[in-house]
Amino acid sequence: MFEREQQAITQQIKAFCQKNQLPEVDFQWKWIPFSGHWGISTSFFQIAALEARQGKRINVNARAAELASQVAAYLGTPEGFEKVEAVNGYLNIYFLQSAYAEQVINAVLQAGENFGRGTVRNERVMVEFSQPNTHKAFHVGHLRSAILGDVISRLLDFAGFSVVRANYPGDIGLHVIKWLWCYMNFHRGEKPTSDITRWMGDIYAEANRRLEENPDLESEVRVLYARWDRREPEVVALWEETRQWSLNGFEEIYRQLDIHFDVYYFNSQVEHPGKEIVNELIAKGIAVDERPEGPVVVKLDELLGLKTEKYRVMVVLRSDNTALYATEDLALAKKKFSDYPDLSRSYYVVDVRQSLHFQQVFKTLELAGYEWATRCQHIPYELVILPGNVVMASREGTVVLLEDLIREATARALAVVREKNPDLSEEVKQKIAQAVGIGAIKYPMLARENTKVVTFDWQSALDFNGQAAPYIQYAYVRAGSILRKANRPLPEEAKVTEPLTPQEVELINLISRLPAEVQRSANEHRPLWIATYAYELAKAFNDFYTQCPVLQAEEAVRNFRLRLTAATRQAIANSLTLLGITAPQAM
RNA sequence: GCCCCUGUAGCUCAAUGGACAGAGCACCGGACUUCUAAUCCGUUGGUUGUGAGUUCGAGUCUCACCAGGGGCGCCA
């Protein structure tokens, strides 16, 4: 929030360096790392090291300390700052607490839900995420792409980008045909009532079981696949109807998770366009047609003249002319840019195992002359697995269904709400339980590095204590509770009359950092940083809550703390919104 | 064989190349007549896998090795 002040000081220090003929460096500003202190710091080790390299016989640490002291003396106390001190080669500049405290609180309350929002950039980006397979269950393993993609979209939007959220369901393929085969033979006429995705998943599992028990039946599946390929009306109609059941089930899940999409691309949509691109690649001499003995391949390393293996060889069409994922991804990438020609980035939130695949697809498109290919980017994430390094797979039956997890998490939350807030209406209790349960599920997927495996186990998934979403939500509720009990409109303004407590300083410091954290998280596609930030903010508020009475304080202090409480509540709310977690009114 | 990711407290994880490597869980001991205890306070816990290198400064960058996971021509 204080870029202008920071720049002014940087200019002064640079002037000092010039006057004293010191080497030029870029000054990096950091938050003073000691909690309870609010300000920025930089160091002079780099200048001292450069001097040493120029042949001066100096001790770098001592020289840095000397420079820091000199600069501190030179700066005096700049306008708007409380004090400047030199410590061990560092220059610490403390904000003038009262003035900036009021400024921060005013800014937050004025901006409201837009506090932290970056200035609008004239840039559109697409985020593709949550590629669920129709005719299969939706399990916890599918959750990470959905949650990560959603939050990355929220971050990019809040950072100032115009975001197109895309879903790419796998609505055709062998798994769908197997499902249709099982349905036509053993469940014809049945329709799902509730728990659609579970019902769909059960039939898929049954299909696999039957085919395993009696492999002779696979010929029937092949026959059915051929009928689909010929687009026999009966098969197509059934496919369309059953596919819609799955999509309805997904919609219900997305609704519960508060995730939405702007555009749907379907696997089935890009099958034929993909084959056209393959023909084009062959014509351009990029793809090599080895049919019928072999598939159509793109020998990337060879085309690029690479001596060491990097992109290897990508198969773009099977020898029997059927499409693969690669075939379809070529067409999908193209379709995205034809639908939205102004995309400055096209992101793919897909698990890390497909890293090579996407490198191959993007490089192939680049070689084919599509200039937008370099704007495609894969955002990889690690899998959610079960203890014992077991990957979730519908076919193996090693899955935790999302419905079960949501049900269990909300049931636990509901039990606590009933105990703590018996007077609330049942409807409100349900809403709170939903917010807490879903939040608890989402947070652990966000509060870690994308590239780290999440091991799912019931115990930690249902642990609502400590660094978890309910902790943050509870801080929000507590803030709201104070404001409600104040029983008066929020004071229009409030001066700082007493010296601020360390808890207040830390809280204001954290609030002021939200805009920078948003930019940082969005630029790096790392929800982790906002997730950690939200927790630290909540923790700082809980500290404040226990140490600094609000309603009992004398009037001037009370007014200031009421505004600080309101500002904190807003900052927590905005952070939770970014994390896709609902902020409940009571808990 | 080649490539990618991971390795930090008993466990799960943080840490813009910078100040004493921090949280949560678990363990132990405290705090509800108070603005909601889904909270707070305190104690315990570390040669950051190993070895070199770069740097004024390395958990962070480079290299080698060790361990685990993943990917590598017709799976998705």
Side-chain angles (χ1 to χ4, degrees), chain A residues 110-123:
Chain A
Q110 201 179 347
E113 62 185 21
N114 286 316
F115 173 67
R117 188 177 277 283
T119 49
V120 176
R121 315 182 197 205
N122 205 9
E123 252 184 83

Side-chain angles (χ1 to χ4, degrees), chain A residues 191-256:
Chain A
K191 281 183 182 172
T193 48
S194 58
D195 270 4
I196 304 174
T197 53
R198 179 199 304 275
W199 186 82
M200 300 293 289
D202 285 347
I203 291 185
Y204 178 66
E206 182 187 329
N208 280 296
R209 202 178 59 241
R210 288 181 183 278
L211 290 167
E212 228 162 85
E213 283 167 7
N214 190 353
D216 295 344
L217 296 173
E218 273 172 27
S219 57
E220 292 184 17
V221 175
R222 276 197 298 276
V223 169
L224 187 58
Y225 212 155
R227 291 177 64 195
W228 153 261
D229 268 336
R230 286 194 301 273
R231 297 294 187 273
E232 283 189 17
E234 190 207 354
V235 180
V236 170
L238 186 64
W239 168 72
E240 278 176 348
E241 187 186 4
T242 56
R243 177 184 100 131
Q244 193 56 46
W245 293 344
S246 262
L247 295 175
N248 292 346
F250 295 156
E251 266 319 301
E252 171 57 19
I253 285 170
Y254 292 137
R255 192 190 58 75
Q256 290 197 62

Side-chain angles (χ1 to χ4, degrees), chain A residues 89 263 368 495 549 559:
Chain A
V263 58
K495 295 273 179 231
N559 284 345

Side-chain angles (χ1 to χ4, degrees), chain A residues 52 67 116 158 166 231 237 239 243 249 296 383 420 490 523 541 564:
Chain A
L67 286 169
F158 210 64
R231 297 294 187 273
W239 168 72
R243 177 184 100 131
V296 181
L383 298 184
K420 295 189 57 171
L490 196 64
N523 288 340
F541 179 74
L564 175 56

Side-chain angles (χ1 to χ4, degrees), chain A residues 290-400:
Chain A
E290 296 175 347
R291 288 173 295 180
E293 292 80 22
V296 181
V297 296
V298 178
K299 298 180 177 176
L300 281 155
D301 286 340
E302 207 177 291
L303 286 169
L304 293 164
L306 298 179
K307 295 259 184 324
T308 52
E309 292 181 312
K310 180 167 183 191
Y311 297 101
R312 297 169 176 272
V313 175
M314 176 170 64
V315 177
V316 290
L317 195 66
R318 289 200 190 91
S319 48
D320 65 359
N321 296 323
T322 56
L324 303 100
Y325 241 42
T327 323
E328 291 151 355
D329 264 324
L330 290 166
L332 177 62
K334 185 178 176 183
K335 181 155 178 52
K336 286 173 174 177
F337 280 94
S338 115
D339 290 352
Y340 302 91
D342 60 343
L343 290 182
S344 68
R345 283 277 163 191
S346 178
Y347 295 114
Y348 294 70
V349 182
V350 182
D351 82 74
V352 66
R353 299 178 184 207
Q354 299 190 31
S355 293
L356 177 61
H357 164 76
F358 281 115
Q359 280 190 55
Q360 292 176 328
V361 169
F362 300 154
K363 184 55 79 176
T364 298
L365 289 165
E366 192 185 326
L367 289 173
Y370 294 110
E371 51 83 26
W372 43 257
T374 52
R375 287 185 257 150
C376 296
Q377 187 180 337
H378 176 211
I379 300 178
Y381 65 88
E382 260 293 357
L383 298 184
V384 179
I385 61 170
L386 293 167
N389 199 24
V390 175
V391 175
M392 290 195 201
S394 334
R395 285 181 57 178
E396 320 283 330
T398 53
V399 294
V400 174

Side-chain angles (χ1 to χ4, degrees), chain A residues 17 22 154 232 266 336 355 391 432 436 480 491 520:
Chain A
C17 292
L22 295 170
R154 289 169 185 264
E232 283 189 17
F266 293 98
K336 286 173 174 177
S355 293
V391 175
I432 294 168
V436 172
R520 202 161 77 96

